[in-house]
Amino acid sequence: MPQPTGPAQSSAKPAKPAKPGKGPRPQGKGPAAGRPAAQRPPAPRRPGRATPRRVRLTMSRVDPWSVMKIAFLLSVAAAIAGVVMVAVLWTVLSGMGVFSDVQDMLRTLSSDSGGSSFNLMDYIGFGRMVSLAVVIGVIDIVLLTAIATLSAFLYNICASLVGGVQLTLSDE
């Protein structure tokens, strides 16, 4: 028959000394004061409307490389939209007969003056208009990307002098 063991005859290992910084947490008010933040229940809300939190941030630097990438992508999107807009607008105007009416008016005016015939479609044909929109779009891409990148460099210089733009964010 095994003999009962008392506290002096325990076979348990002695307790290890506590590591520095791992001691018991300070006990505050309430039952959740000693728990880590992830285990704590949410703080009770006050009745009525709670005041929103406000945070003041300062934008002290803008990365020119990221500004250049974003400006390039946005200007490419604007160029594509411009080409599509020109093509759709030309198709709608042609379908409505605007170009033929303008051509008839020019033919009437040129017959009064006795000059040679003038063909409007030689100058504002679909291919020419779309090509012009593509050229303007490429120039737009280069200029907007360069201007945005230069603006980022100028902002960084000005922000180093005056501290940058201060923002106040709230969670309303």
Side-chain angles (χ1 to χ4, degrees):
M1 207 163 143
Q3 295 198 356
T5 57
Q9 297 174 348
S10 165
S11 63
K13 294 181 181 177
K16 292 183 181 179
K19 293 182 182 177
K22 297 285 186 177
R25 290 198 168 93
Q27 296 296 323
K29 295 180 181 177
R35 294 188 207 160
Q39 295 175 355
R40 289 186 192 143
R45 290 196 160 263
R46 287 181 271 159
R49 183 175 171 170
T51 58
R53 292 183 300 173
R54 293 183 180 218
V55 178
R56 289 191 63 166
L57 301 174
T58 301
M59 187 169 57
S60 60
R61 187 177 182 284
V62 177
D63 185 27
W65 178 249
S66 66
V67 169
M68 186 183 79
K69 291 187 292 187
I70 292 294
F72 176 75
L73 289 176
L74 289 176
S75 60
V76 165
I80 291 171
V83 170
V84 169
M85 180 190 68
V86 165
V88 168
L89 184 63
W90 194 94
T91 305
V92 167
L93 290 176
S94 177
M96 291 172 48
V98 171
F99 298 133
S100 62
D101 289 345
V102 171
Q103 179 66 37
D104 291 341
M105 181 184 70
L106 290 175
R107 202 173 288 133
T108 304
L109 291 175
S110 68
S111 67
D112 291 343
S113 64
S116 64
S117 66
F118 174 76
N119 189 5
L120 183 65
M121 285 301 146
D122 290 342
Y123 297 97
I124 60 167
F126 182 76
R128 279 189 177 229
M129 289 295 105
V130 171
S131 298
L132 182 64
V134 168
V135 168
I136 290 173
V138 169
I139 293 170
D140 173 59
I141 290 170
V142 172
L143 286 178
L144 283 180
T145 304
I147 289 171
T149 307
L150 181 63
S151 299
F153 279 114
L154 290 175
Y155 177 81
N156 288 339
I157 291 169
C158 293
S160 67
L161 295 174
V162 297
V165 175
Q166 292 187 356
L167 304 170
T168 301
L169 304 175
S170 65
D171 64 349
E172 291 185 312

